[in-house]
Amino acid sequence: MANFKYFADINGETFELTKIRHNGRSASKASNFSGRTPDGELVPATRMIEFKSNPSKHVCDARCMNATGKIMKCECSCGGKNHGKGGYMAVAA
Ligand SMILES: [Zn+2]
């Protein structure tokens, strides 16, 4: 069984969300979910990660950071936090 984790990228910081709720629409993209940051703020999810139940917990690499796709799978030590983050970060010139 895979676990889904939800993350929000706010001002360059990544928060893992808890108390996830779905907005009731038929789609189940990350944007249809919202949850609370560790501070208790309710924010929309920007990324949804399928985290393997037996993760190898290897160190994150570019493949993880630059992952794309509707549902991203991760099994590295970041726990999904860095997964696909490359696509949400402004690229420094
Ligand atoms: Zn990762």
Side-chain angles (χ1 to χ4, degrees):
M1 265 239 6
N3 298 309
F4 286 97
K5 294 185 172 205
Y6 299 85
F7 295 91
D9 300 288
I10 304 164
N11 299 327
E13 271 196 85
T14 302
F15 300 95
E16 183 175 350
L17 303 179
T18 55
K19 301 193 172 72
I20 303 300
R21 55 175 92 166
H22 186 249
N23 67 4
R25 305 221 180 114
S26 57
S28 52
K29 290 185 296 187
S31 56
N32 292 108
F33 294 89
S34 57
R36 296 200 182 266
T37 65
D39 291 339
E41 205 181 330
L42 187 66
V43 295
T46 50
R47 284 184 283 128
M48 178 176 168
I49 308 291
E50 185 182 334
F51 201 69
K52 290 194 181 179
S53 47
N54 289 308
S56 63
K57 299 220 169 152
H58 60 82
V59 175
C60 287
D61 55 20
R63 252 188 335 181
C64 167
M65 296 287 285
N66 297 319
T68 54
K70 221 197 282 184
I71 296 176
M72 297 183 281
K73 294 184 186 182
C74 185
E75 57 173 318
C76 29
S77 57
C78 72
K81 202 170 182 179
N82 296 333
H83 219 73
K85 201 171 178 176
Y88 290 91
M89 304 273 281
V91 180

